[in-house]
Amino acid sequence: MPFRFIHTADLHLDSPLTSLALRNADLGDLVRGATRKALERLVDLAITEEVDAVIIAGDLYDGSQTSMATALFLMGQMRRLETAGTHVFIIRGNHDAQSQITRELTFPPNVHVFDGRGKPVSAGRLASGREIHVHGVSFAQPHAPASLLPAYRVPVPDAINIGLMHTSLAGAPSPV
């Protein structure tokens, strides 16, 4: 049986979309709610399709956002995946590095959040016995002026290796 997963990134849950809300409050509310709906539908799909894993490549949150309602919503979705037996692999993106939620949230055991060391994590085996490993490096700070690529470990030999990255390969200069 194959290893099946869903990949997503840049959900920016409950993003305040300040500039949009200033122009049109109703539209701002509609779009803000769309981020939750997108995650709910992604989780629904993962459960319906019985995927092995959901892989999230950064920016679950939007900057320094500290809403407990956002944290509770996210935990509810992760618990739904736990109940379904679905693994979740997350790297923190540049916006997640700013978030108080990121530093304080304790996920259920089915969720693995990568740190900055690049250590691969086993995601299981195929029926053939071939191992699957997920590699990821999370942002520790909102900006990564140098490439995060050197933090990744070499691929696990004779395994399927899936790499997650939320940055450009060359890094990005700090804002002025």
Side-chain angles (χ1 to χ4, degrees):
M1 185 158 173
F3 180 79
R4 299 175 57 212
F5 65 92
I6 294 175
H7 168 271
T8 190
D10 293 292
L11 289 170
H12 295 272
L13 290 171
D14 295 339
S15 175
L17 301 166
T18 307
S19 62
L20 180 61
L22 288 174
R23 290 191 308 257
N24 184 324
D26 291 336
L27 186 56
D29 287 341
L30 177 67
V31 173
R32 191 171 22 260
T35 61
R36 284 186 182 218
K37 184 57 81 179
L39 181 57
E40 284 176 346
R41 288 183 177 171
L42 183 142
V43 171
D44 290 345
L45 179 64
I47 292 168
T48 300
E49 294 294 326
E50 299 179 358
V51 300
D52 298 291
V54 171
I55 297 175
I56 303 172
D59 287 357
L60 272 168
Y61 317 112
D62 194 55
S64 59
Q65 183 182 78
T66 58
S67 167
M68 210 38 163
T70 303
L72 291 172
F73 170 75
L74 178 61
M75 289 301 289
Q77 298 307 306
M78 295 302 106
R79 285 194 183 101
R80 288 180 61 209
L81 291 168
E82 178 186 34
T83 299
T86 306
H87 296 287
V88 181
F89 299 94
I90 299 172
I91 58 171
R92 292 184 181 113
N94 54 314
H95 286 98
D96 299 325
Q98 297 173 319
S99 173
Q100 189 69 23
I101 296 171
T102 298
R103 291 186 290 277
E104 295 180 2
L105 202 56
T106 302
F107 286 106
N110 65 313
V111 178
H112 178 82
V113 180
F114 288 92
D115 58 23
R117 296 181 298 216
K119 182 180 177 186
V121 174
S122 174
R125 291 180 181 271
L126 296 175
S128 67
R130 193 167 183 194
E131 293 182 6
I132 300 159
H133 292 271
V134 180
H135 302 249
V137 174
S138 287
F139 270 69
Q141 302 296 321
H143 303 286
S147 173
L148 297 177
L149 192 56
Y152 285 80
R153 308 275 174 94
V154 297
V156 176
D158 300 319
I160 295 172
N161 291 270
I162 300 169
L164 298 177
M165 182 175 270
H166 187 90
T167 188
S168 66
L169 289 176
S174 296
V176 178

